[in-house]
CSV table of all heavy atoms in Angstrom, one decimal:
chain,number,residue,atom,x,y,z
A,93,TRP,N,-80.6,-49.0,-61.3
A,93,TRP,CA,-80.6,-47.6,-61.7
A,93,TRP,C,-80.2,-47.3,-63.1
A,93,TRP,O,-80.0,-46.2,-63.5
A,93,TRP,CB,-79.6,-46.8,-60.8
A,93,TRP,CG,-80.1,-46.7,-59.3
A,93,TRP,CD1,-81.4,-46.5,-58.9
A,93,TRP,CD2,-79.3,-46.6,-58.2
A,93,TRP,NE1,-81.4,-46.4,-57.6
A,93,TRP,CE2,-80.2,-46.5,-57.1
A,93,TRP,CE3,-77.9,-46.7,-57.9
A,93,TRP,CZ2,-79.7,-46.4,-55.8
A,93,TRP,CZ3,-77.5,-46.6,-56.6
A,93,TRP,CH2,-78.4,-46.4,-55.5
A,94,GLY,N,-80.0,-48.4,-63.9
A,94,GLY,CA,-79.6,-48.2,-65.3
A,94,GLY,C,-78.2,-47.8,-65.5
A,94,GLY,O,-77.8,-47.3,-66.5
A,95,LEU,N,-77.3,-48.2,-64.5
A,95,LEU,CA,-75.9,-47.8,-64.6
A,95,LEU,C,-75.0,-49.1,-64.6
A,95,LEU,O,-74.0,-49.2,-63.9
A,95,LEU,CB,-75.5,-46.9,-63.4
A,95,LEU,CG,-76.2,-45.5,-63.4
A,95,LEU,CD1,-75.8,-44.8,-62.1
A,95,LEU,CD2,-75.7,-44.7,-64.6
A,96,ALA,N,-75.4,-50.0,-65.5
A,96,ALA,CA,-74.6,-51.3,-65.6
A,96,ALA,C,-73.2,-51.0,-65.9
A,96,ALA,O,-72.3,-51.8,-65.6
A,96,ALA,CB,-75.3,-52.2,-66.6
A,97,ALA,N,-72.9,-49.9,-66.6
A,97,ALA,CA,-71.5,-49.6,-67.0
A,97,ALA,C,-70.6,-49.4,-65.8
A,97,ALA,O,-69.4,-49.5,-65.9
A,97,ALA,CB,-71.5,-48.4,-67.9
A,98,LEU,N,-71.2,-49.0,-64.7
A,98,LEU,CA,-70.4,-48.8,-63.4
A,98,LEU,C,-70.3,-50.0,-62.6
A,98,LEU,O,-69.7,-50.0,-61.5
A,98,LEU,CB,-71.1,-47.6,-62.6
A,98,LEU,CG,-71.2,-46.2,-63.2
A,98,LEU,CD1,-71.8,-45.3,-62.3
A,98,LEU,CD2,-69.8,-45.8,-63.6
A,99,GLU,N,-71.0,-51.1,-62.9
A,99,GLU,CA,-71.1,-52.2,-62.1
A,99,GLU,C,-69.8,-52.8,-61.6
A,99,GLU,O,-69.6,-53.0,-60.4
A,99,GLU,CB,-71.9,-53.3,-62.8
A,99,GLU,CG,-72.3,-54.5,-62.0
A,99,GLU,CD,-73.1,-55.5,-62.8
A,99,GLU,OE1,-73.9,-55.1,-63.7
A,99,GLU,OE2,-73.1,-56.7,-62.4
A,100,GLU,N,-68.9,-53.0,-62.5
A,100,GLU,CA,-67.6,-53.6,-62.1
A,100,GLU,C,-66.8,-52.7,-61.2
A,100,GLU,O,-66.1,-53.1,-60.3
A,100,GLU,CB,-66.8,-54.1,-63.3
A,100,GLU,CG,-67.4,-55.2,-64.0
A,100,GLU,CD,-67.6,-56.5,-63.1
A,100,GLU,OE1,-66.7,-56.8,-62.3
A,100,GLU,OE2,-68.7,-57.1,-63.2
A,101,ASP,N,-66.7,-51.4,-61.5
A,101,ASP,CA,-66.0,-50.4,-60.7
A,101,ASP,C,-66.7,-50.4,-59.3
A,101,ASP,O,-65.9,-50.3,-58.3
A,101,ASP,CB,-66.0,-49.0,-61.3
A,101,ASP,CG,-65.1,-48.9,-62.5
A,101,ASP,OD1,-64.3,-49.9,-62.8
A,101,ASP,OD2,-65.1,-47.9,-63.2
A,102,LEU,N,-68.0,-50.4,-59.2
A,102,LEU,CA,-68.7,-50.4,-57.9
A,102,LEU,C,-68.4,-51.7,-57.2
A,102,LEU,O,-68.2,-51.6,-55.9
A,102,LEU,CB,-70.2,-50.2,-58.1
A,102,LEU,CG,-70.6,-48.8,-58.5
A,102,LEU,CD1,-72.1,-48.9,-58.9
A,102,LEU,CD2,-70.4,-47.9,-57.4
A,103,ARG,N,-68.3,-52.8,-57.8
A,103,ARG,CA,-67.9,-54.0,-57.1
A,103,ARG,C,-66.6,-53.9,-56.5
A,103,ARG,O,-66.4,-54.3,-55.3
A,103,ARG,CB,-67.9,-55.2,-58.1
A,103,ARG,CG,-69.2,-55.7,-58.5
A,103,ARG,CD,-69.0,-56.8,-59.6
A,103,ARG,NE,-70.2,-57.3,-60.2
A,103,ARG,CZ,-70.9,-58.3,-59.8
A,103,ARG,NH1,-70.5,-59.0,-58.8
A,103,ARG,NH2,-72.0,-58.7,-60.4
A,104,LEU,N,-65.6,-53.4,-57.2
A,104,LEU,CA,-64.3,-53.3,-56.6
A,104,LEU,C,-64.2,-52.2,-55.5
A,104,LEU,O,-63.7,-52.5,-54.4
A,104,LEU,CB,-63.3,-52.8,-57.7
A,104,LEU,CG,-61.9,-52.7,-57.2
A,104,LEU,CD1,-60.9,-53.3,-58.2
A,104,LEU,CD2,-61.5,-51.3,-57.0
A,105,ILE,N,-64.9,-51.1,-55.7
A,105,ILE,CA,-64.9,-50.1,-54.6
A,105,ILE,C,-65.6,-50.6,-53.4
A,105,ILE,O,-65.0,-50.4,-52.3
A,105,ILE,CB,-65.6,-48.8,-55.2
A,105,ILE,CG1,-64.7,-48.1,-56.2
A,105,ILE,CG2,-66.0,-47.8,-54.1
A,105,ILE,CD1,-65.3,-47.0,-57.0
A,106,VAL,N,-66.7,-51.2,-53.5
A,106,VAL,CA,-67.5,-51.7,-52.4
A,106,VAL,C,-66.7,-52.8,-51.7
A,106,VAL,O,-66.6,-52.9,-50.4
A,106,VAL,CB,-68.9,-52.1,-52.8
A,106,VAL,CG1,-69.6,-52.9,-51.7
A,106,VAL,CG2,-69.7,-50.9,-53.1
A,107,SER,N,-66.0,-53.7,-52.4
A,107,SER,CA,-65.2,-54.7,-51.8
A,107,SER,C,-64.1,-54.1,-51.0
A,107,SER,O,-63.9,-54.6,-49.8
A,107,SER,CB,-64.5,-55.6,-52.9
A,107,SER,OG,-65.4,-56.3,-53.6
A,108,GLU,N,-63.5,-53.1,-51.5
A,108,GLU,CA,-62.4,-52.4,-50.7
A,108,GLU,C,-62.9,-51.7,-49.4
A,108,GLU,O,-62.4,-51.9,-48.4
A,108,GLU,CB,-61.6,-51.5,-51.5
A,108,GLU,CG,-60.8,-52.1,-52.6
A,108,GLU,CD,-59.7,-53.1,-52.1
A,108,GLU,OE1,-59.2,-52.9,-51.0
A,108,GLU,OE2,-59.4,-54.0,-52.8
A,109,LEU,N,-64.0,-51.0,-49.6
A,109,LEU,CA,-64.6,-50.2,-48.5
A,109,LEU,C,-65.1,-51.2,-47.4
A,109,LEU,O,-64.8,-51.0,-46.2
A,109,LEU,CB,-65.7,-49.3,-48.9
A,109,LEU,CG,-65.4,-48.1,-49.8
A,109,LEU,CD1,-66.6,-47.4,-50.2
A,109,LEU,CD2,-64.4,-47.2,-49.1
A,110,VAL,N,-65.9,-52.2,-47.8
A,110,VAL,CA,-66.4,-53.1,-46.8
A,110,VAL,C,-65.3,-54.0,-46.2
A,110,VAL,O,-65.3,-54.2,-45.0
A,110,VAL,CB,-67.6,-53.9,-47.4
A,110,VAL,CG1,-68.0,-55.0,-46.4
A,110,VAL,CG2,-68.7,-53.0,-47.7
A,111,GLY,N,-64.4,-54.4,-47.0
A,111,GLY,CA,-63.3,-55.2,-46.5
A,111,GLY,C,-62.4,-54.5,-45.5
A,111,GLY,O,-62.1,-55.0,-44.5
A,112,ASN,N,-62.2,-53.2,-45.8
A,112,ASN,CA,-61.4,-52.4,-44.9
A,112,ASN,C,-62.1,-52.2,-43.6
A,112,ASN,O,-61.5,-52.2,-42.5
A,112,ASN,CB,-61.0,-51.0,-45.5
A,112,ASN,CG,-59.9,-51.1,-46.5
A,112,ASN,OD1,-59.2,-52.1,-46.6
A,112,ASN,ND2,-59.7,-50.0,-47.2
A,113,ALA,N,-63.4,-51.9,-43.6
A,113,ALA,CA,-64.2,-51.8,-42.4
A,113,ALA,C,-64.2,-53.0,-41.6
A,113,ALA,O,-64.1,-53.0,-40.4
A,113,ALA,CB,-65.6,-51.3,-42.8
A,114,CYS,N,-64.4,-54.2,-42.2
A,114,CYS,CA,-64.4,-55.5,-41.5
A,114,CYS,C,-63.0,-55.8,-40.9
A,114,CYS,O,-62.9,-56.3,-39.8
A,114,CYS,CB,-64.8,-56.6,-42.5
A,114,CYS,SG,-66.5,-56.5,-43.0
A,115,ARG,N,-62.0,-55.4,-41.6
A,115,ARG,CA,-60.6,-55.7,-41.2
A,115,ARG,C,-60.1,-54.8,-40.1
A,115,ARG,O,-59.4,-55.2,-39.2
A,115,ARG,CB,-59.7,-55.7,-42.4
A,115,ARG,CG,-58.4,-56.4,-42.2
A,115,ARG,CD,-57.6,-56.5,-43.5
A,115,ARG,NE,-58.4,-57.3,-44.5
A,115,ARG,CZ,-58.9,-56.7,-45.7
A,115,ARG,NH1,-58.7,-55.5,-46.0
A,115,ARG,NH2,-59.5,-57.5,-46.5
A,116,HIS,N,-60.4,-53.5,-40.3
A,116,HIS,CA,-59.7,-52.5,-39.5
A,116,HIS,C,-60.5,-51.7,-38.5
A,116,HIS,O,-60.0,-51.0,-37.6
A,116,HIS,CB,-59.0,-51.5,-40.4
A,116,HIS,CG,-58.0,-52.0,-41.3
A,116,HIS,ND1,-56.9,-52.6,-40.9
A,116,HIS,CD2,-58.1,-52.1,-42.7
A,116,HIS,CE1,-56.2,-53.1,-42.0
A,116,HIS,NE2,-56.9,-52.8,-43.1
A,117,ALA,N,-61.9,-51.8,-38.5
A,117,ALA,CA,-62.7,-51.0,-37.7
A,117,ALA,C,-63.4,-51.7,-36.6
A,117,ALA,O,-64.1,-51.0,-35.8
A,117,ALA,CB,-63.7,-50.3,-38.6
A,118,VAL,N,-63.2,-53.0,-36.4
A,118,VAL,CA,-63.9,-53.7,-35.3
A,118,VAL,C,-63.0,-53.6,-34.1
A,118,VAL,O,-61.8,-54.0,-34.1
A,118,VAL,CB,-64.1,-55.2,-35.7
A,118,VAL,CG1,-64.8,-55.9,-34.6
A,118,VAL,CG2,-65.0,-55.3,-37.0
A,119,PRO,N,-63.5,-53.1,-33.0
A,119,PRO,CA,-62.7,-53.0,-31.8
A,119,PRO,C,-62.2,-54.4,-31.3
A,119,PRO,O,-62.9,-55.4,-31.6
A,119,PRO,CB,-63.7,-52.5,-30.7
A,119,PRO,CG,-64.8,-51.8,-31.5
A,119,PRO,CD,-64.9,-52.6,-32.8
Side-chain angles (χ1 to χ4, degrees):
W93 288 328
L95 295 173
L98 297 179
E99 187 176 334
E100 290 304 315
D101 287 353
L102 286 169
R103 284 176 188 265
L104 182 137
I105 288 167
V106 167
S107 290
E108 292 299 331
L109 291 177
V110 173
N112 283 348
C114 291
R115 195 173 302 114
H116 302 294
V118 179

